[in-house]
Amino acid sequence: MAKAFFARARFNKIMTKYIFVTGGVTSSLGKGIISASLAKLLQSRGYRVTIQKFDPYINIDPGTLNPYEHGECYVTEDGAETDLDLGHYERFLNTPTSQSNNITTGRIYQNVINREREGAFLGKTVQVVPHITDEIKRNFKILGDTGNYDIVITEIGGTVGDIESLPFVEAVRQFRWEAGSGNSLVIHLTLVPFLAAAGELKTKPTQHSVKMLLEYGIQPDILVCRTEHHLNADIRKKIALFCNVNINAVIESIDASSIYDVPLLMLKEQLDKTVLTKLKLPNKNEPDLDSWKDFLGRLKNPTAEVRIGLVGKYVELPDAYKSITEAFIHAGAKNECKVRVEYIHSEQLTPQNAVERLRGLHGVLVAPGFGQRGFEGKIEAIRYVRENNIPFFGICLGMQCAVVEFGRHVLQLEAANSVEMDGHTTYPVISMMEDQKNVTNKGGTMRLGSYPCDLKKGSKAAHIYGKQHINERHRHRYEFNNEFLKQYEDAGMIPSGINPQNGLVEIVELKNHPFFVGSQFHPELKSTVANPHPLFVNFVAASLGYARKN
Ligand code: GLN
């Protein structure tokens, strides 16, 4: 008891406020977008906000997961491999996230077990409560304790009631009690389905979901209700009555045509005001959303359209390329141009059908990826766009494919390859990075995170960025093999971006082509609403130029 009292007393000195976002009824309701939208509104009122995600799976991070399992693996500046929701946080807030913004059950257990082995709990039985829940609570506070944030929003992955998210929910309960009233709140996201046969919205799933939270000792403060139809006053009253919340704490979240509409929808529902009142924070400055609205205006009123092919092997699941498709949205708005992304399965591209499959596109992006499957189809796509002067953008594996294609068809290095695809090739134009050669563990061991890059004066890359030194984020094990550099340069493939520390080629471009750029890094990870990535903006502009000419 005394310990809890001191925990509470300590807390009250801390000025950071904590918001937890849980989900009920079903998965995929968009907790990440609601969290990011609320954060945007609070940020636009002058608050310093960050968002973190707690995922209930046992993997230490999603870096070892196939994209089909969990969508894209997002990478932060500090090299954390994270859930794709962190991408939304960055795109909305235009502030970087870090390793501390994404925690999994696996990492929590790893930390506790490591400490157990060190002897930190000598003599004690290590248990879910209190040891795992203590570690979860410690992680809830890591970002708040930096003093950099007024408000920390924590998204709890999974759905309340799942066995695996129980320790997180219990930790939220304890945390709330320790933090004291007014210092934290819980927003519960639920679904209010429309039953066509009855012609009615149904509140029962929401009631049940809140009941389940109550069983775990948590009364949600605010309910955000996903719905296809507007919630009328009666429905709101009913939800408020049965779920013990004020009527203004029943927030409608109606289906939107774009995720970027959601902050404005939440503003209309006054989610930000309700949150500030409950957290006893001053309702200072009205939200300044001018530039956001300006972006939406350009997004919704395009004056042109381009068709861009996205060649990859995970195309069945668009979430696998989330940051790329979002970067196209930002770049499209910047160009006042609708970017129609056409997914092209690289496994289905052959020398026989590539021309027919790719005809009519105004630009082609070859996606990142791993392994042999679909590799040759990417080579075919690149051959077609290189020979036909169609704008091309290759990212990571896409850049490596461009190097292989150029080696095979321009330099006539027959069977040139990446050693990832053929370990015995006579022409290893893409080889394994030196510091990767002795790596045996798969998790968290790639070249990850932000690295500097110098751009070659007079190159397209330097022109696009408008500067000479950049930093971009990486996630790969292979690289351009500098033994072939001179041959490539002489034939017109220019290394226009070089890592100043180790000489790794980070960007290649073709001299005699309207737009042919490959980057070893992932520019899509740094594109935000406020700062669309220049490589995407210029690629879309080049595609638009091609569309107009043809
Ligand atoms: N498989 C390649 C490598 O590891 C490319 C990785 C990627 O596209 N992210 O180097």
Side-chain angles (χ1 to χ4, degrees):
M1 193 63 207
K3 208 171 146 201
F5 172 80
F6 286 119
R8 208 162 167 166
R10 229 185 8 251
F11 234 107
N12 289 342
K13 277 196 243 124
I14 295 167
M15 297 310 291
T16 309
K17 307 275 186 170
Y18 292 86
I19 300 173
F20 296 95
V21 180
T22 57
V25 183
T26 167
S27 59
S28 307
L29 289 180
K31 286 194 295 277
I33 300 298
I34 291 295
S35 302
S37 300
L38 171 60
K40 182 77 224 165
L41 294 180
L42 296 170
Q43 184 194 53
S44 73
R45 286 173 174 274
Y47 285 102
R48 299 169 307 156
V49 193
T50 190
I51 319 175
Q52 53 186 3
K53 176 151 193 201
F54 281 59
D55 274 313
Y57 50 78
I58 311 288
N59 305 63
I60 302 294
D61 59 44
T64 50
L65 292 179
N66 185 315
Y68 289 125
E69 290 275 326
H70 206 68
E72 163 191 282
C73 174
Y74 189 74
V75 180
T76 58
E77 286 290 291
D78 62 349
E81 296 178 290
T82 74
D83 185 79
L84 57 77
D85 272 344
L86 271 75
H88 290 310
Y89 308 161
E90 291 203 9
R91 288 187 281 271
F92 276 55
L93 297 183
N94 197 40
T95 55
T97 55
S98 68
Q99 180 66 75
S100 308
N101 292 73
N102 192 194
I103 304 289
T104 67
T105 292
R107 189 175 294 280
I108 296 285
Y109 271 81
Q110 188 185 46
N111 291 349
V112 171
I113 290 169
N114 285 345
R115 294 192 54 228
E116 188 275 336
R117 293 288 82 183
E118 286 163 9
F121 309 106
L122 275 187
K124 292 260 179 318
T125 309
V126 182
Q127 295 179 292
V128 174
V129 182
H131 303 100
I132 294 298
T133 47
D134 278 353
E135 178 61 12
I136 295 172
K137 286 187 289 176
R138 189 181 72 80
N139 279 276
F140 282 165
K141 281 178 82 241
I142 283 180
L143 288 166
D145 286 349
T146 61
N148 295 333
Y149 303 104
D150 305 311
I151 301 168
V152 175
I153 301 179
T154 302
E155 181 191 342
I156 305 290
T159 307
V160 168
D162 294 350
I163 292 174
E164 53 180 19
S165 50
L166 261 176
F168 289 144
V169 175
E170 166 59 12
V172 172
R173 185 194 68 75
Q174 294 177 15
F175 188 97
R176 285 197 5 119
W177 184 77
E178 288 172 6
S181 81
N183 290 325
S184 77
L185 63 81
V186 171
I187 298 177
H188 190 51
L189 179 60
T190 73
L191 176 70
V192 178
F194 180 76
L195 273 201
E200 268 182 341
L201 287 168
K202 291 294 182 188
T203 65
K204 199 73 83 188
T206 296
Q207 295 179 37
H208 280 294
S209 179
V210 169
K211 231 177 228 163
M212 188 164 285
L213 257 186
L214 284 168
E215 273 175 31
Y216 299 138
I218 295 177
Q219 166 65 53
D221 302 276
I222 295 174
L223 296 174
V224 174
C225 305
R226 275 300 299 274
T227 173
E228 289 170 32
H229 298 272
H230 287 294
L231 305 182
N232 63 28
D234 285 343
I235 294 274
R236 287 178 195 250
K237 252 191 241 159
K238 193 168 171 185
I239 293 174
L241 179 69
F242 282 100
C243 301
N244 332 305
V245 297
N246 303 333
I247 189 148
N248 66 358
V250 178
I251 305 288
E252 167 191 291
S253 170
I254 197 149
D255 290 356
S257 61
S258 157
I259 56 170
Y260 299 106
D261 286 326
V262 180
L264 297 183
L265 293 174
M266 291 303 108
L267 179 70
K268 215 166 123 212
E269 288 286 303
Q270 305 198 331
L271 174 62
D272 53 331
K273 267 194 184 165
T274 307
V275 161
L276 291 175
T277 308
K278 287 191 186 289
L279 288 177
K280 303 194 178 96
L281 285 172
N283 221 321
K284 56 181 183 185
N285 319 328
E286 278 307 299
D288 175 5
L289 291 163
D290 288 352
S291 59
W292 192 271
K293 287 179 186 162
D294 180 54
F295 158 77
L296 276 178
R298 279 178 287 116
L299 180 66
K300 302 225 160 155
N301 300 291
T303 55
E305 181 174 311
V306 289
R307 292 174 57 209
I308 291 183
L310 196 167
V311 180
K313 67 173 167 187
Y314 306 115
V315 290
E316 301 91 335
L317 184 77
D319 266 4
Y321 300 116
K322 195 81 206 158
S323 292
I324 291 176
T325 48
E326 296 305 316
F328 273 132
I329 291 176
H330 310 151
K334 183 85 183 172
N335 283 289
E336 291 181 19
C337 161
K338 163 131 193 82
V339 180
R340 206 169 277 289
V341 175
E342 298 191 8
Y343 294 92
I344 296 166
H345 205 307
S346 57
E347 251 185 317
Q348 291 162 8
L349 280 180
T350 63
Q352 291 72 37
N353 70 13
V355 175
E356 185 205 325
R357 288 279 175 98
L358 302 170
R359 190 180 291 132
L361 292 172
H362 307 126
V364 167
L365 183 145
V366 175
F370 295 84
Q372 170 67 40
R373 185 169 70 87
F375 183 77
E376 295 300 327
K378 292 181 170 179
I379 302 285
E380 286 312 319
I382 295 169
R383 178 178 203 160
Y384 172 76
V385 294
R386 182 180 54 77
E387 290 177 347
N388 291 283
N389 288 322
I390 297 166
F392 163 76
F393 190 11
I395 298 181
C396 207
L397 181 63
M399 173 262 200
Q400 298 175 353
C401 288
V403 171
V404 169
E405 192 280 327
F406 194 84
R408 288 185 193 172
H409 303 134
V410 179
L411 300 179
Q412 306 295 330
L413 305 174
E414 209 187 314
N417 218 331
S418 160
V419 299
E420 180 181 6
M421 313 305 156
D422 175 5
H424 304 290
T425 169
T426 11
Y427 300 110
V429 293
I430 301 292
S431 57
M432 185 171 264
M433 280 181 281
E434 218 28 67
D435 51 12
Q436 286 287 327
K437 289 190 176 152
N438 297 320
V439 170
T440 50
N441 271 7
K442 292 286 179 237
T445 55
M446 281 187 252
R447 181 181 185 221
L448 289 167
S450 184
Y451 287 91
C453 172
D454 287 352
L455 303 179
K456 198 186 185 96
K457 265 205 191 118
S459 66
K460 185 169 263 133
H463 174 72
I464 287 172
Y465 277 92
K467 54 184 171 187
Q468 245 183 299
H469 308 289
I470 58 166
N471 285 281
E472 292 282 4
R473 296 185 202 169
H474 293 251
R475 183 174 188 248
H476 60 113
R477 294 189 201 282
Y478 300 87
E479 58 163 332
F480 183 94
N481 184 347
N482 277 336
E483 282 175 26
F484 294 89
L485 190 56
K486 178 142 186 349
Q487 246 176 302
Y488 273 79
E489 234 179 324
D490 290 348
M493 184 173 263
I494 309 298
S496 52
I498 302 279
N499 179 304
Q501 290 152 354
N502 51 23
L504 291 182
V505 173
E506 313 284 34
I507 308 180
V508 295
E509 60 184 72
L510 282 187
K511 243 200 260 173
N512 301 316
H513 192 286
F515 191 104
F516 190 104
V517 178
S519 69
Q520 186 57 78
F521 51 78
H522 291 261
E524 72 277 19
L525 301 173
K526 283 178 78 167
S527 185
T528 69
V529 167
N531 278 319
H533 197 286
L535 283 173
F536 276 88
V537 172
N538 277 268
F539 175 52
V540 169
S543 304
L544 193 55
Y546 179 86
R548 289 196 169 127
K549 255 204 280 167
N550 294 274

